Amino acid sequence: MRDIKESDWKHYRNLHPILLDRYCQQVLEEVGSACAKAGKSSHQRYLDLYKVIERRDREIGQLFDNPKRSTALIQIMAINARGLFTPEEFSRFSQDVQEIAARFRE
């Protein structure tokens, strides 16, 4: 994968903690839903919770672990595919990054 422009890299670095927090909020909402399902035993809800955490833990690593300029574009594409950027945040990336990420999302 190729490196991205310095301006895109700086923007991504600044957004990284915000995006991570936004992702974690989604996970917490999903966990709350898994725990609150009526009609399931406590054990089944626990198993559902475990599956959510296990899946989301793998995903959070792919999306957010070890951000480097050389891998930032692939992380940006994956984060965009999950709809974590606001339109304003995403619009601040260069046209090149926006086009690549939009094609990936399709």
Side-chain angles (χ1 to χ4, degrees):
M1 188 58 51
R2 64 185 183 166
D3 286 355
I4 61 173
K5 294 179 185 178
E6 182 69 21
S7 59
D8 289 326
W9 171 236
K10 285 181 179 180
H11 181 52
Y12 177 59
R13 273 194 350 237
N14 290 334
L15 285 177
H16 191 269
I18 296 165
L19 296 165
L20 177 59
D21 191 65
R22 194 174 292 152
Y23 179 85
C24 289
Q25 183 60 44
Q26 288 181 354
V27 173
L28 292 172
E29 290 169 9
E30 189 176 354
V31 163
S33 294
C35 292
K37 289 204 174 161
K40 288 192 170 189
S41 69
S42 296
H43 183 246
Q44 187 57 55
R45 288 185 312 213
Y46 170 82
L47 293 173
D48 292 347
L49 170 65
Y50 183 79
K51 288 177 190 173
V52 168
I53 294 294
E54 189 176 47
R55 177 176 50 84
R56 292 297 207 138
D57 189 56
R58 280 191 308 273
E59 190 173 73
I60 200 170
Q62 294 168 342
L63 293 174
F64 297 104
D65 282 0
N66 200 19
K68 299 182 284 194
R69 190 168 173 176
S70 63
T71 59
L73 185 57
I74 197 153
Q75 286 183 322
I76 290 168
M77 290 186 311
I79 290 167
N80 184 55
R82 284 163 183 80
L84 291 170
F85 290 110
T86 66
E88 195 266 313
E89 290 166 346
F90 190 67
S91 72
R92 292 189 52 217
F93 285 110
S94 68
Q95 192 65 34
D96 187 38
V97 168
Q98 289 182 47
E99 289 172 3
I100 292 167
R103 281 194 306 257
F104 181 79
R105 188 170 185 175
E106 292 171 0

